[in-house]
């Protein structure tokens, strides 16, 4: 997992702005909203990576480090950690991007597992070529 430096790891897969409707009674953004952003970011990455649909099978690890406030721009960075026969494990970091004048802050990090699925939602094999390309990089 990330060493919590101010350096995002992986590729930028999704950005969004926290809105008033995403908050709890304390004015902080719901953890569930952040998890859904991470799920979308991971799915975008894995669908590109596996060249087809995917489904979330597990959230293996999750840490909320600092709260998100309304108006914060969140950036989700994703990085493939492991490729199996049908599954792809992805590290997902959420950073508060602020503006260019301040260093970004790591808000949340997690490890999600996705399974490559076909049009009927049945699991499908990740191709050998994709696995070899991943191992080579
Ligand atoms: C995705 C789905 C088609 C997989 O079918 P399945 O028969 O359950 O699959 P398996 O048990 O063979 O597991 C498939 C892969 O996931 C991995 N996996 C299963 N459970 C896991 C877990 N808890 N953590 C990490 N990996 C897991 C398996 O190791 C396997 O990986 P591999 O093929 O790379 O070796 C099926 O589970 C499904 O439809 N789940 C619901 C998905 C969904 O709706 N997600 C959204 C939730 S809101």
């Amino acid at each position: 997992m990330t060493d919590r430096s101010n350096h995002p790891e992986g590729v930028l897969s999704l950005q969004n702005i926290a809105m008033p409707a995403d908050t709890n009674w304390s004015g902080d953004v719901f953890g569930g909203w952040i998890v859904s952003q991470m799920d979308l970011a991971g799915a975008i990455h894995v669908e590109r990576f596996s060249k087809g649909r995917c489904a979330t099978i597990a959230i293996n690890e999750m840490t909320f480090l600092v709260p998100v406030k309304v108006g914060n721009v969140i950036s989700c960075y994703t990085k493939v950690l492991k490729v199996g026969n049908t599954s792809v494990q992805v590290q997902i970091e959420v950073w508060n991007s602020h503006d260019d004048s301040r260093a970004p802050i790591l808000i949340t990090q997690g490890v999600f597992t996705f399974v490559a699925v076909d049009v009927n939602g049945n699991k499908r094999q990740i191709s050998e070529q994709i696995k070899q390309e991943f191992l080579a990089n």
Side-chain angles (χ1 to χ4, degrees):
M1 291 284 278
T2 306
D3 62 4
R4 299 186 189 181
S5 64
N6 55 3
H7 176 73
E9 220 185 320
V11 295
L12 179 62
S13 291
L14 185 126
Q15 285 190 302
N16 206 348
I17 302 179
M19 302 290 275
D22 305 318
T23 57
N24 61 24
W25 52 92
S26 310
D28 293 330
V29 168
F30 279 116
W33 181 80
I34 300 169
V35 174
S36 71
Q37 303 307 306
M38 296 170 82
D39 197 27
L40 287 170
I44 287 168
H45 191 139
V46 173
E47 293 204 346
R48 281 188 192 138
F49 178 86
S50 71
K51 299 183 178 17
R53 278 179 58 186
C54 71
T56 315
I57 195 157
I59 298 176
N60 308 95
E61 207 175 313
M62 188 84 214
T63 315
F64 293 97
L65 302 168
V66 291
V68 177
K69 304 288 182 189
V70 169
N72 284 170
V73 175
I74 59 117
S75 302
C76 299
Y77 290 84
T78 54
K79 179 184 163 188
V80 172
L81 297 178
K82 204 162 76 179
V83 182
N85 293 320
T86 65
S87 68
V88 180
Q89 193 182 65
V90 185
Q91 172 184 288
I92 305 171
E93 298 178 353
V94 184
W95 289 76
N96 185 344
S97 295
H98 297 300
D99 48 54
D100 288 343
S101 64
R102 281 184 286 169
I105 295 171
L106 180 60
I107 297 166
T108 301
Q109 56 189 10
V111 176
F112 287 47
T113 303
F114 297 85
V115 173
V117 294
D118 62 20
V119 286
N120 299 312
N122 298 314
K123 63 189 171 189
R124 64 182 167 86
Q125 295 284 317
I126 309 277
S127 78
E128 277 309 313
Q129 188 187 346
I130 290 172
K131 286 186 204 172
Q132 293 308 324
E133 282 171 7
F134 170 72
L135 292 173
N137 289 316

